[in-house]
Amino acid sequence: MENNILDKHGAVLENLFGLWEEVGSKADLLRNEHGLRFIRQEGLWPDLMFGLHEGFSNWKALREGARSGRYPRAMALGENALLEDQLQTVGYQKTSTVRSMCWDAKWMPGPKTHVAPIERVDDMAKLTDFSHIASVSFGYEILPKMFRPFLEDTEKIRMYIQEHRGKAANCGLLFLDDKDGAGIHIIGTLPEHRGMGLGRSMTEYQLKEAIGLGPSHIGLVASEGGARIYSKMGFEPVGHMVTYRFGGSSAQR
């Protein structure tokens, strides 16, 4: 059972990392140096390093790259005490922890009339709305051009927006990875439209879309507060993802 949970946790995180890779690759921003995968564009989304593993050994290159600004200061990886100790030694500090969650097929979303219409993002006007909602919701700028290629290339990434009171107010994204997994991402709602069930409505809609595609698993990552909501929709916690930030002055070697 424990190995099964670890497998699910790894699959959920690799789906998220795969999303970042796909977006970064299409924008010609994805880099891989010393076994480190990263996208560097200061002040914009995404700007982070991800997927560090226990076999990594070039800690000096990591420290110098982060210190010089060549590498992003933020790094995301699955919770790992050994790597955390190493990261703290070279100057990284833990900034946040979120849960990885995997959908339990024993729970099925029932028929539902959504509180507001949900539309597929299929033109620049909708993409602009999508990017605006996501940027406001998460507090960092997401440029429409980062997702522009996926208006035509819809094999892996499907974006959605939801209107409420005549305005695009909610967004979500479904990512299908190369390992037959699906991930629900970027569920965001404008502040003035929160507390009305839009986020749950979007999540259920994307869950149904994903189920129809028959993936090996469906996952997402969530804050502790979000995890309580998603657990009521059949998602079970399988692990944690931790984000670290390079502090520079705290580096010891």
Side-chain angles (χ1 to χ4, degrees):
M1 178 64 74
E2 183 178 352
N3 286 338
N4 186 40
I5 291 175
L6 288 174
D7 288 345
K8 289 180 179 180
H9 173 54
V12 171
L13 292 192
E14 279 304 315
N15 181 272
L16 176 59
F17 299 162
L19 169 63
W20 294 336
E21 280 194 333
E22 186 71 15
V23 172
S25 178
K26 290 287 188 182
D28 196 26
L29 292 170
L30 180 67
R31 301 291 181 265
N32 192 323
E33 295 182 8
H34 306 291
L36 299 167
R37 292 178 285 173
F38 66 94
I39 298 168
R40 184 73 175 113
Q41 46 172 2
E42 189 169 358
L44 300 173
W45 179 95
D47 179 28
L48 81 170
M49 186 171 286
F50 50 94
L52 186 71
H53 55 83
E54 289 188 359
F56 180 75
S57 60
N58 202 336
W59 297 99
K60 181 179 179 180
L62 173 59
R63 182 195 62 192
E64 295 305 321
R67 176 180 286 169
S68 69
R70 176 172 177 78
Y71 295 161
R73 288 182 173 266
M75 176 183 293
L77 66 150
E79 190 172 45
N80 184 303
L82 177 62
L83 290 177
E84 181 166 309
D85 286 344
Q86 291 279 12
L87 286 168
Q88 289 176 342
T89 298
V90 297
Y92 282 84
Q93 300 171 356
K94 183 189 294 186
T95 56
S96 66
T97 302
V98 295
R99 283 191 177 272
S100 61
M101 307 186 76
C102 201
W103 178 66
D104 180 356
K106 294 191 294 291
W107 186 93
M108 295 291 290
K112 181 175 181 179
T113 301
H114 293 281
V115 294
I118 296 176
E119 297 182 285
R120 184 86 168 262
V121 173
D122 56 9
D123 59 37
M124 279 304 300
K126 293 176 185 175
L127 180 56
T128 300
D129 285 337
F130 174 93
S131 300
H132 171 69
I133 297 165
S135 297
V136 172
S137 298
F138 298 104
Y140 37 70
E141 189 173 7
I142 301 177
L143 298 179
K145 70 177 184 180
M146 296 303 297
F147 289 102
R148 174 66 179 82
F150 305 106
L151 292 179
E152 289 82 27
D153 183 0
T154 59
E155 182 179 356
K156 290 186 175 181
I157 291 180
R158 304 180 182 192
M159 298 167 286
Y160 304 88
I161 56 172
Q162 186 173 27
E163 288 195 1
H164 186 241
R165 296 175 180 169
K167 180 180 180 179
N170 194 31
C171 69
L173 181 149
L174 182 64
F175 176 64
L176 311 172
D177 62 40
D178 292 330
K179 297 181 179 179
D180 197 33
I184 294 172
H185 305 285
I186 315 184
I187 300 290
T189 307
L190 294 177
E192 62 269 28
H193 296 270
R194 292 173 185 166
M196 302 177 188
L198 295 177
R200 181 182 179 109
S201 176
M202 177 64 77
T203 303
E204 286 197 5
Y205 183 89
Q206 289 192 93
L207 179 56
K208 288 181 181 179
E209 291 280 293
I211 291 170
L213 297 169
S216 59
H217 69 274
I218 304 170
L220 52 78
V221 297
S223 65
E224 289 297 325
R228 289 192 290 272
I229 296 172
Y230 294 127
S231 66
K232 298 175 182 178
M233 303 168 64
F235 286 90
E236 297 181 334
V238 291
H240 292 89
M241 185 182 80
V242 184
T243 300
Y244 300 87
R245 188 166 184 83
F246 183 74
S249 60
S250 61
Q252 296 178 15
R253 68 170 186 265

